[in-house]
């Protein structure tokens, strides 16, 4: 058995490197190697000293110590580094999902969050966040959906936060609901926290890691810091699970690049300074879109993201999302992802990680279109 086609990837492969205004990505516009070295103030002597031997398969010890500091009460032995969060998620689903397992998740979703559990034979229970976002017209997941998520995912409840593709975040009420439900939940809870560094509401103060004895979290620096090519991610969880995941990892990538580990350590140690500029550019783009979206032909409404880099905007009646995305790319060089690629027709995912200059120029071209 093999998974279905990963729907978003074909369009990303076609346009991610050529679009004059790339709003299809789910991360910050990637830095060049030279730009990253300058921002991190890394000397050539430091780079020349990196050994190209295999890293430990659980990850460099110093890097795991730094990652552990991001999570209150977590120890380095509760951390495993992986080749992006994709590998972390794949391993966890293989370990936590059996045939017939009840798995819930917020829908629409990043396809891997439900496609791999399905491949493992799990029974899927999507919990839609779209009606909640539309009803409340806020940037938060409604707290009443938390109980539904935990009740449906008796064996595994997946909490993607900040949420991709909608950009919805958690307010205090929702966080309290998660804490309360987690005390009653007997199954596993997976917190996919890829955008945790860009949660505009909670900073790094809240995480699902360590919430109860069967909670596990995944994270990464790649999308939030414009370094997708480093392919570094991690999982944080109980030592017994981390050891099983470490053994499973031996059948996949086994180790990650020592160069990526070195740069990731430097990024984490300087994350506050790096984040200031990134957040400023992101919020500038979001504000510009918010002030102009009513002038963009085809869009029905817009709810700004509460965290992360993306938002999910509904289209006006009878507009096909794939045809609309093709039209934007052809006529104004703006690349967005159609809702159809998230198996949710009538919407488009918009990314805000483009440079402010490219972003504003793209939005201005979009405003001039006639459908």
């Amino acid at each position: 058995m093999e998974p279905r086609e990963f729907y978003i990837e074909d369009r990303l492969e076609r346009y991610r490197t050529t679009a004059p205004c790339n709003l299809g990505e789910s991360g910050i516009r990637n830095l060049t190697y030279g730009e990253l070295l300058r921002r991190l103030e890394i000397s050539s002597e430091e780079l020349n000293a990196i050994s190209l031997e295999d890293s430990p398969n659980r990850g460099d010890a110093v890097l795991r110590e730094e990652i552990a500091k991001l999570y209150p009460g977590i120890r380095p032995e509760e951390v495993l580094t992986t080749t992006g969060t994709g590998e972390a998620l794949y391993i966890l689903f293989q370990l936590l999902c059996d045939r017939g397992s009840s798995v819930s998740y917020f829908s629409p979703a990043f396809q891997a969050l439900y496609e791999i559990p399905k491949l493992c034979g799990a029974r899927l229970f999507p919990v839609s966040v779209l009606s909640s976002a539309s009803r409340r017209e806020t940037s938060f997941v409604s707290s009443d959906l938390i109980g539904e998520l935990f009740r449906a995912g008796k064996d595994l409840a997946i909490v993607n936060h900040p949420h991709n593709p909608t950009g919805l975040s958690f307010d205090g009420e929702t966080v309290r609901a998660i804490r309360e439900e987690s005390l009653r939940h007997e199954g596993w809870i997976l917190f996919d926290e890829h955008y945790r560094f860009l949660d505009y509401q909670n900073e790094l103060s809240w995480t699902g890691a360590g919430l109860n004895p069967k909670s596990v979290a995944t994270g990464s620096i790649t999308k939030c810091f414009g370094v997708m090519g480093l392919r570094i991610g991690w999982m944080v969880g109980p030592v017994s699970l981390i050891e099983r995941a470490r053994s499973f990892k031996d059948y996949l990538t086994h180790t990650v690049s020592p160069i990526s580990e070195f740069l990731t350590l430097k990024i984490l140690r300087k994350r506050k300074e790096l984040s200031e500029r990134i957040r400023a550019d992101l919020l500038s783009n979001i504000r510009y879109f918010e002030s102009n979206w009513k002038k963009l032909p085809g869009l029905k409404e817009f709810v700004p993201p509460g965290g992360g880099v993306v938002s999910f905007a509904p289209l006006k009646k009878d507009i096909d999302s794939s045809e609309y995305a093709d039209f934007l790319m052809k006529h104004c060089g703006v690349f967005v992802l159609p809702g159809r690629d998230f198996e949710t027709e009538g919407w488009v995912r918009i990314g805000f990680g483009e440079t402010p200059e490219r972003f504003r120029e793209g939005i201005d071209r979009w405003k001039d279109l006639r459908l």
Side-chain angles (χ1 to χ4, degrees), residues 139-185:
S139 301
F140 306 116
V141 174
S142 173
S143 60
D144 59 8
L145 295 182
I146 300 302
E148 183 179 347
L149 182 81
F150 278 77
R151 286 190 298 272
K154 296 184 184 301
D155 298 297
L156 174 62
I158 303 171
V159 184
N160 173 221
H161 166 256
H163 184 251
N164 178 13
T166 66
L168 295 176
S169 182
F170 295 159
D171 59 9
E173 181 183 350
T174 310
V175 170
R176 284 191 294 273
I178 290 175
R179 286 177 173 149
E180 291 172 2
E181 291 292 339
S182 69
L183 296 176
R184 294 188 286 266
H185 191 66

Side-chain angles (χ1 to χ4, degrees), residues 33 36 50-52 55 60 63 82-84 221-222 227-233 256-267:
Y33 185 56
L36 180 63
I50 298 174
S51 172
L52 295 182
S55 294
D60 177 77
L63 175 58
T82 56
T83 303
I221 44 87
T222 58
V227 289
M228 285 291 291
L230 292 186
R231 307 307 307 160
I232 285 281
V256 298
S257 164
I259 299 174
S260 292
E261 286 191 320
F262 171 83
L263 293 173
T264 298
L265 177 62
K266 293 290 188 179
I267 288 170

